[in-house]
Amino acid sequence: MSLRKRISLGHTLAFRLTLWYAGIFAVSACVAFLLFYTLITSFILERTDQELLDQASRFSLLLATQGVDSVKDSMIIESEAAGVKKVFFRLLYADGRAYSSTNMSYWQDIGVDETAIKALFRERDPVFQKIDITGRAEKVRILYSALNPGIVLQVGLAMESYSRFLEAFRKYFIATMTILILLAAGVGWFMARRAVSGVEAITRTAQKISDGTLKERVPVKGRGDEIDQLALTFNQMLDRIQALLKEIKEMSDNIAHDLRSPIARIRGVAEVTLTSGKAVSEYENMAASTIEECDRLLDMINTMLMISKTELGVNSFSGKDVDFTSVVRQANDLFEPAAEDKSVAFHCDVQDGLHLTGDTPMIQRMLSNLLDNAIKYTPSGGSVSVAAYESQGQVVVAVQDTGIGISKQDLPRIFERFFRCDQSRSQTGTGLGLSLARAIARAHGGDITVVSMPNQGSTFTVTLPKPYSTQNDAPGYEF
Ligand code: ADP
């Protein structure tokens, strides 16, 4: 079932984005139209009013110069010239009674507004009115203006252009808005679909993965946008998960393998003793060998647990001062006899006064693993050197040997749990020592690096940060 079918259309992000887009577009278009409408109508009204005022001032001049009869004649001529349905003139007394008018047959509905006349004399300013006449399309603009203190001119002008504009505006507004909203919805839908298609691809991939195919990856369109970034991050996350799962599988294979051998040995010894052994000494030997194998198993399991805890930082971090100089010297004292037994020369050069913040037993364990390996993987006649010093604000300890070395292809893997190089299989070991050593170094805010050449030797260098001035500066690692 496709993704879009599973989610009803109304709930899709694309649909909601389209609605928003079309809505915002419609509101913006309405505002623009309203502004335009207000501007045009006020412009038309201003022009109409100016026309009426010009007319009034002409009549006022005529009244003053040629008398009221000339005004009356002029009113009739003007009204007929413009059209009796377009304009009318009325001369009124100051109390509102009609004195004279042009042909009013078309304008019967329009009376005299006495309040307007009162306002005219009170304010001494012409008074304008806009009147709707029932049954007629156009509005009428009326002006009351005093020609002299006793005579008022009432002029009415049909606002044809104004009404025409309104009518046209309404028609175009509806048509244009319909087209624009449809267009905006179309464009919005297209854009929203384009934007969410990447998200859908990621969801599809995630669904396939949850069905069990971790090999799937989201296609990256290469547009360099946020969706590409999301796809890249998602793919990186999948790579990491796949690598982790591979690591877990390898590790559980190794654990199974490493547990099976000693258990098989225990079982073999027990079986042989049961079937053939009669003497008590043979049972004693079996018990001793079982204890030895169990110790090895326990040691391995404990080391694994310690690595996990150190990596996760679940043990309590003591964060105490570690006298690193003494710790290294003690470790050297401990391992020197083993080197001597194997005819391996042992040198050490430890700087005085080295200190760091951490956990002494853990640091001891880390050094033991490195020294044990150096002696173990160095044949008789070789040498092991330990140097501890301070460099660039850090405490460094380097364990160098002239042993069997590590091949280039094995080098990146030696810190993996259970990894053992082929040439070292003849030696005892679990393949966990270096994993633990590195986990301890990292838990102290440091690290281990290695340089090695097959048949020439290896140098393991541990770098650890110097003590922190305050306890609060200590790293968040816990072990
Ligand atoms: P192991 O118990 O096998 O020593 P480690 O985790 O300590 O396990 O080391 C992993 C592998 O790295 C070893 O099996 C060995 O092959 C290689 N290795 C470690 N230290 C050295 C060294 N000093 N010289 C050569 N090879 C080494």
Side-chain angles (χ1 to χ4, degrees), residues 92-200:
L92 307 165
Y93 291 110
D95 58 7
R97 279 179 300 116
Y99 168 70
S100 167
S101 71
T102 55
N103 184 351
M104 293 297 286
S105 52
Y106 186 71
W107 306 100
Q108 278 161 5
D109 296 341
I110 296 180
V112 174
D113 185 353
E114 282 175 16
T115 51
I117 295 174
K118 280 180 192 152
L120 172 70
F121 285 111
R122 193 174 57 246
E123 310 285 338
R124 294 177 187 280
D125 258 339
V127 174
F128 288 100
Q129 287 178 335
K130 195 155 58 174
I131 296 178
D132 272 312
I133 302 172
T134 36
R136 291 192 206 170
E138 74 269 14
K139 290 179 191 299
V140 182
R141 190 68 166 164
I142 307 277
L143 166 71
Y144 291 90
S145 175
L147 297 186
N148 68 21
I151 294 186
V152 172
L153 173 71
Q154 183 195 31
V155 195
L157 185 66
M159 296 171 74
E160 270 180 338
S161 53
Y162 184 87
S163 306
R164 262 205 311 273
F165 168 75
L166 266 188
E167 185 55 31
F169 186 87
R170 233 174 264 132
K171 248 195 266 168
Y172 285 118
F173 176 75
I174 292 167
T176 320
M177 279 307 280
T178 315
I179 293 169
L180 280 181
I181 288 174
L182 287 177
L183 202 73
V187 172
W189 178 251
F190 172 74
M191 281 168 53
R193 291 284 320 128
R194 229 172 107 88
V196 298
S197 66
V199 179
E200 282 180 2

